[in-house]
Amino acid sequence: FAIQMFAAGVLCITICPAGSGRVKGTVHAWSAALYMVDHHVFLKLINAPSCYIFGFWACFVAFGFGTWATGQLRASVDDGSISGTVQHEWTPSLLSAAGLNPEIRCQLWSAELLRMISENSMFLVFISSIGRGVKRQDNFEGLSAK
């Protein structure tokens, strides 16, 4: 399990990072989804309290919504409309043509803020749950002896 989780993370982050093209983007999306499911399985294996698992997935859903909203806002602007801007899939959103568009800049900033807060919260919930789950492992030791 640990090797598979590590491999999914390496594939997602290093080999096929976000914004690296159509095929690699698809591989990134699927390996990222697998990596998130791996976190769920890990939390179950260490017997983490369900409130942490719920919190992890709530943060993930918020991150997904923020990512979707950012994509919609970026797609709503013709990337060639503002001269002098370099437009790539990996260009930071607030530096893209969408980010320079005064009509949607505030919405884009809010979507990006949601993404950053939810991504960091997901990490915080996961790390916090490890200590809580490991402490609860004593419950399983008593069951296995019976």
Side-chain angles (χ1 to χ4, degrees), residues 2 6 27 64 66 68 70 75 77 82 84 111 123 134 140 144:
F6 180 77
V27 173
W68 174 82
T70 295
V77 175
I82 299 176
F123 177 74
V134 171
F140 284 117
S144 62

Side-chain angles (χ1 to χ4, degrees), residues 44-74:
K44 286 292 198 178
L45 286 173
I46 66 166
N47 195 27
S50 58
C51 63
Y52 286 93
I53 296 171
F54 175 80
F56 178 82
W57 285 110
C59 292
F60 179 75
V61 168
F63 178 77
F65 177 75
T67 301
W68 174 82
T70 295
Q72 294 295 308
L73 289 166
R74 285 187 72 155

Side-chain angles (χ1 to χ4, degrees), residues 13-47:
I13 305 293
T14 306
I15 299 172
C16 299
S20 58
R22 183 179 164 142
V23 173
K24 284 188 172 184
T26 301
V27 173
H28 172 81
W30 282 102
S31 59
L34 176 62
Y35 190 62
M36 290 299 109
V37 171
D38 287 341
H39 282 76
H40 177 85
V41 172
F42 180 77
L43 291 173
K44 286 292 198 178
L45 286 173
I46 66 166
N47 195 27

Side-chain angles (χ1 to χ4, degrees), residues 54-103:
F54 175 80
F56 178 82
W57 285 110
C59 292
F60 179 75
V61 168
F63 178 77
F65 177 75
T67 301
W68 174 82
T70 295
Q72 294 295 308
L73 289 166
R74 285 187 72 155
S76 73
V77 175
D78 177 18
D79 280 339
S81 64
I82 299 176
S83 63
T85 59
V86 178
Q87 302 303 315
H88 299 285
E89 187 178 333
W90 47 265
T91 300
S93 293
L94 293 173
L95 298 178
S96 68
L100 299 175
N101 184 320
E103 295 174 11

Side-chain angles (χ1 to χ4, degrees), residues 110-131:
S110 298
E112 286 292 295
L113 180 63
L114 174 63
R115 289 181 68 215
M116 294 306 107
I117 290 173
S118 59
E119 183 177 28
N120 287 297
S121 296
M122 199 176 353
F123 177 74
L124 182 62
V125 168
F126 179 73
I127 295 300
S128 300
S129 67
I130 293 173

